[in-house]
Amino acid sequence: MGQVQSDENRPLPTHEELTKELANKFAEKCFTSLELYSFKDVFKSLADNQNEVRYLKQDTIAQFLGIPDILGVSPVLFQMVSYIGAFPFLQDAPAVLGLEQMVVVIAIMTSRYKQVLVKGASDRNKLLFRSLAVYDRKLSATYQEGVSSTTREADGSKADSTQPSVSGFAVDTPGDEENDDSDIEDDELVCSALDSLDYVGASQRKSVSTMHGAMIPADNFRKLVMLLLLVAPLGDQENLSSYADRVSGTELESLRERAECILAAFLDVEKSPGIKFHRFNAIVPVSMPYLFDGLGPLFEHFLFSKNLNLSQHTVEGPPVPVTSLPQPLLQDTGSIMNLNVLSQLSLFIPGSSLFRRVRLLYSGDDDGFSMGSFESKVFHWRAPTLLLVRGVRLSSETGHTGSGSESAFLSTLPPRRSPPGGTDGEQLTFGLYLSQPWKYTNRECFGGDDTTLFQLEPIHDVFMPSTLNKDYVSYLRPSSSTNHAGISFGCPPPHPTQTYRRTNTIPLGSISLVLDSSFEYGCFTHDQSSRGGAFQPSPARRFNFQDRFEVTHLEVWGCGGDEEAKIQAERWAWEAREAEARRRINLGTGDIEADRALLEMAGLIGGNRSGGSMG
């Protein structure tokens, strides 16, 4: 009994002691002995010493990781690290970044913490939001006034013109749930860490900061996104300095443009000062689930010491062969695709399927804007593909009449029921990820459950596939029995018995993209109110809109390795030989035109064969 009395009277451990205990758990279960030895050596070489306390400063971390000064992101990154260093006692942030705090930071940034904290492991995004957020009563009040103003306008009441109108998105009408930050309080990752330390009790858990009204400043997030796009392809122990050419000149401008498109998914920078948690939590898991993955390889640099030279240990055996230089991250560039666009794609498509894996199969600029060229270049690729289409939004003025081809295309669309998603003449880029090979559509569409429709500019948006409606992709060549040839995504398949108000009108899906057979025009439809489509509505834009555009560029990129490329090259070579053989055929009649007419009737050359157009 005396022992029990002694235990009860023992003082509770301090936050510092518990943080050290958590760091020891991470060190034991999340790192190898070699990694831990390297980290201690790196920390010792970098740390400053004040009053016998060794710690890392902002400039030290930025310089060690190779963060480019021109991005101006070092203070943002240091704010994140200083906050996470206080985990799980976040109310103590910012933390002095000592050895134990950096162990916690690296474990969380590299996602190794999951080996210890199984419960709440998916809550890292919540912690990252907290680490980026600030609490400014003035900014928060401005935001709330804007939300109230927008809500009143949505309800039909006249807003006070003297009050600022600020909303989460330019034409979004947020409801009352957007003012609720209660979900940020229930942080399972923090609770899991406290449980692992036997730190229980309602009074202690209430001490976790709730951060009501917290938001990420728009400029801070823009800078961070530029860094995340830059480090997206970063490999193990690859130095960020090797990407120096991506942060200068036109490459830097391109990187900034991609960041603006991503930022537009969260807010209208002209009307909102920052990103609230409800919006962050709604968009990141759907539209950019791999947004923070690049931080893992970046912070793993702390686990490799240059002073540790393993080459000094000789190993008997044959000499190790010299490895060839790695392939470039992107072998070719197109009118749409470049390395920054590829990094943007890696926010929702695993980077292992993209970097050093994509190659250009078809380009409208080089191969011609025709379905025949598209088929000859794309149909024999047996690995996933990425289709990218860029265009300019057509005029939305009532009574506007464009060219004859534009009018012909618009006549195939149902009457417009939704406004455009932006201003006339704005550049748009849409795309589709397809894991199955392309083929002709008869009665059923094709595509797997991972088929993904997306938009890259002027806003980053992802439309996930439905598991019930599988009308993902339709490919219809022009023929006498086809009223609306072309490529469509998310539209019902053709049926001979299908009836529609107008037989020549395309039956658009609720979330769909349509390209005409000449690849001149396209139409993207987002009907938020309709349900049951092949693709799910946008998590960022909860309203109806329709964008009709003139196509300027169209590309298809194959996602695969050397084996897929070899098969495709062999197929192209075979088709070239076949086309050449057809050109040289002579039936011996002496009448070349008659011979060609006979061969066309037989379907050997001409419009019925893809190789005929090469003659």
Side-chain angles (χ1 to χ4, degrees):
M1 182 176 295
Q3 180 65 38
V4 174
Q5 181 71 24
S6 176
D7 290 342
E8 291 178 352
N9 294 333
R10 185 167 51 187
L12 292 174
T14 64
H15 287 185
E16 182 180 353
E17 293 171 339
L18 291 171
T19 298
K20 186 174 183 178
E21 181 182 345
L22 180 63
N24 289 334
K25 287 189 176 183
F26 282 157
E28 179 183 355
K29 297 185 179 181
C30 302
F31 306 104
T32 66
S33 57
L34 184 60
E35 289 174 336
L36 196 57
Y37 176 86
S38 296
F39 167 68
K40 290 180 179 178
D41 185 69
V42 169
F43 182 86
K44 181 180 178 180
S45 65
L46 297 177
D48 282 79
N49 193 339
Q50 184 175 357
N51 298 328
E52 298 184 355
V53 176
R54 301 184 68 86
Y55 65 98
L56 298 184
K57 298 190 300 184
Q58 174 182 313
D59 293 342
T60 303
I61 293 176
Q63 184 176 0
F64 176 75
L65 296 178
I67 307 299
D69 294 336
I70 196 169
L71 297 183
V73 71
S74 296
V76 180
L77 189 65
F78 188 73
Q79 176 187 326
M80 291 182 66
V81 173
S82 300
Y83 186 88
I84 295 174
F87 181 85
F89 304 102
L90 302 177
Q91 65 273 21
D92 296 340
V96 176
L97 296 177
L99 183 69
E100 289 81 14
Q101 287 75 19
M102 285 303 299
V103 168
V104 173
V105 167
I106 296 170
I108 291 176
M109 288 297 198
T110 61
S111 295
R112 298 185 180 210
Y113 69 93
K114 295 179 181 179
Q115 301 177 41
V116 176
L117 308 180
V118 178
K119 180 183 177 182
S122 61
D123 255 11
R124 189 178 75 144
N125 283 349
K126 187 175 295 185
L127 177 62
L128 293 178
F129 174 87
R130 288 174 175 269
S131 71
L132 290 165
V134 298
Y135 181 75
D136 189 311
R137 293 183 181 274
K138 183 177 180 181
L139 291 181
S140 181
T142 303
Y143 179 89
Q144 298 297 346
E145 290 174 0
V147 168
S148 301
S149 174
T150 308
T151 304
R152 288 195 300 271
E153 292 176 3
D155 293 338
S157 58
K158 186 176 180 180
D160 185 355
S161 59
T162 62
Q163 297 295 329
S165 176
V166 182
S167 62
F169 190 74
V171 282
D172 195 3
T173 54
D176 292 338
E177 72 277 1
E178 297 212 358
N179 300 330
D180 184 14
D181 286 327
S182 60
D183 51 353
I184 198 174
E185 298 179 30
D186 185 19
D187 197 328
E188 292 186 3
L189 185 59
V190 171
C191 294
S192 179
L194 296 178
D195 287 342
S196 71
L197 300 172
D198 294 328
Y199 188 78
V200 296
S203 59
Q204 291 93 334
R205 295 204 173 178
K206 286 181 180 179
S207 66
V208 177
S209 173
T210 59
M211 290 184 67
H212 280 297
M215 62 175 66
I216 304 175
D219 190 54
N220 285 7
F221 195 69
R222 180 189 294 107
K223 294 174 181 176
L224 180 66
V225 168
M226 292 180 68
L227 175 65
L228 295 176
L229 291 173
L230 184 66
V231 302
L234 200 65
D236 294 339
Q237 297 307 321
E238 188 177 7
N239 200 315
L240 195 56
S241 61
S242 61
Y243 297 164
D245 58 335
R246 295 185 58 190
V247 289
S248 62
T250 57
E251 287 295 318
L252 177 61
E253 185 61 30
S254 172
L255 185 66
R256 185 175 289 109
E257 289 174 356
R258 295 300 99 202
E260 290 293 346
C261 295
I262 294 168
L263 183 61
F266 294 92
L267 49 78
D268 182 345
V269 294
E270 295 182 356
K271 296 184 177 181
S272 182
I275 304 169
K276 298 283 285 185
F277 177 72
H278 70 272
R279 195 159 184 85
F280 180 90
N281 197 41
I283 293 173
V284 169
V286 178
S287 293
M288 45 197 88
Y290 310 123
L291 176 65
F292 298 103
D293 281 14
L295 294 177
L298 182 65
F299 276 83
E300 282 186 350
H301 280 72
F302 282 103
L303 306 179
F304 179 77
S305 172
K306 295 181 180 179
N307 297 327
L308 188 64
N309 189 358
L310 299 178
S311 63
Q312 294 179 352
H313 301 276
T314 58
V315 179
E316 296 183 359
V320 178
V322 179
T323 58
S324 59
L325 293 175
Q327 294 182 348
L329 295 172
L330 181 61
Q331 296 185 15
D332 307 298
T333 56
S335 301
I336 305 175
M337 179 74 81
N338 57 41
L339 192 50
N340 292 320
V341 170
L342 194 64
S343 292
Q344 184 179 357
L345 291 170
S346 72
L347 301 185
F348 59 94
I349 301 174
S352 57
S353 300
L354 299 176
F355 298 112
R356 298 186 174 91
R357 299 276 295 176
V358 300
R359 57 200 74 217
L360 183 61
L361 301 180
Y362 164 82
S363 169
D365 295 343
D366 300 329
D367 303 315
F369 290 87
S370 71
M371 299 189 75
S373 298
F374 186 99
E375 295 163 19
S376 65
K377 296 291 184 178
V378 176
F379 268 42
H380 301 298
W381 183 259
R382 298 304 173 189
T385 52
L386 280 165
L387 179 144
L388 301 176
V389 57
R390 175 171 289 168
V392 177
R393 186 183 285 114
L394 297 174
S395 174
S396 57
E397 294 181 5
T398 304
H400 169 77
T401 56
S403 63
S405 57
E406 178 182 335
S407 299
F409 171 72
L410 296 179
S411 67
T412 65
L413 302 178
R416 183 193 288 273
R417 295 187 299 173
S418 302
T423 58
D424 296 346
E426 190 173 28
Q427 183 169 274
L428 311 170
T429 300
F430 297 96
L432 181 100
Y433 173 80
L434 178 66
S435 61
Q436 296 183 0
W438 287 77
K439 61 183 179 180
Y440 301 108
T441 301
N442 293 318
R443 294 176 179 269
E444 294 182 355
C445 295
F446 59 93
D449 293 340
D450 56 352
T451 305
T452 305
L453 187 64
F454 55 87
Q455 183 172 358
L456 297 182
E457 65 177 337
I459 178 175
H460 178 100
D461 216 342
V462 176
F463 313 94
M464 298 302 294
S466 168
T467 57
L468 301 177
N469 185 333
K470 300 193 176 185
D471 297 337
Y472 299 130
V473 184
S474 175
Y475 188 96
L476 292 173
R477 293 197 65 183
S479 68
S480 58
S481 60
T482 303
N483 292 327
H484 38 80
I487 308 178
S488 63
F489 311 112
C491 295
H495 294 291
T497 58
Q498 181 178 359
T499 60
Y500 200 68
R501 188 180 304 172
R502 295 162 58 193
T503 58
N504 66 334
T505 301
I506 302 174
L508 300 176
S510 57
I511 311 294
S512 61
L513 174 65
V514 172
L515 302 178
D516 68 352
S517 59
S518 61
F519 298 156
E520 289 185 88
Y521 299 98
C523 177
F524 179 81
T525 302
H526 184 270
D527 190 346
Q528 174 74 24
S529 56
S530 297
R531 303 296 178 185
F535 296 99
Q536 300 177 23
S538 163
R541 294 175 285 182
R542 297 191 296 275
F543 53 89
N544 299 339
F545 64 94
Q546 185 181 81
D547 284 330
R548 304 175 177 188
F549 58 93
E550 181 179 4
V551 176
T552 56
H553 305 288
L554 179 63
E555 299 172 355
V556 178
W557 294 76
C559 306
D562 295 335
E563 186 63 28
E564 290 84 356
K566 180 181 178 181
I567 295 174
Q568 180 77 342
E570 291 175 351
R571 182 66 185 182
W572 284 343
W574 180 86
E575 290 187 347
R577 291 193 300 269
E578 288 293 301
E580 180 65 23
R582 295 190 194 105
R583 284 197 296 267
R584 295 180 178 180
I585 290 178
N586 189 337
L587 298 183
T589 62
D591 188 341
I592 297 178
E593 293 300 325
D595 290 346
R596 290 188 61 86
L598 184 60
L599 292 174
E600 288 180 359
M601 292 175 60
L604 297 178
I605 66 173
N608 294 325
R609 295 295 293 260
S610 60
S613 61
M614 299 175 65

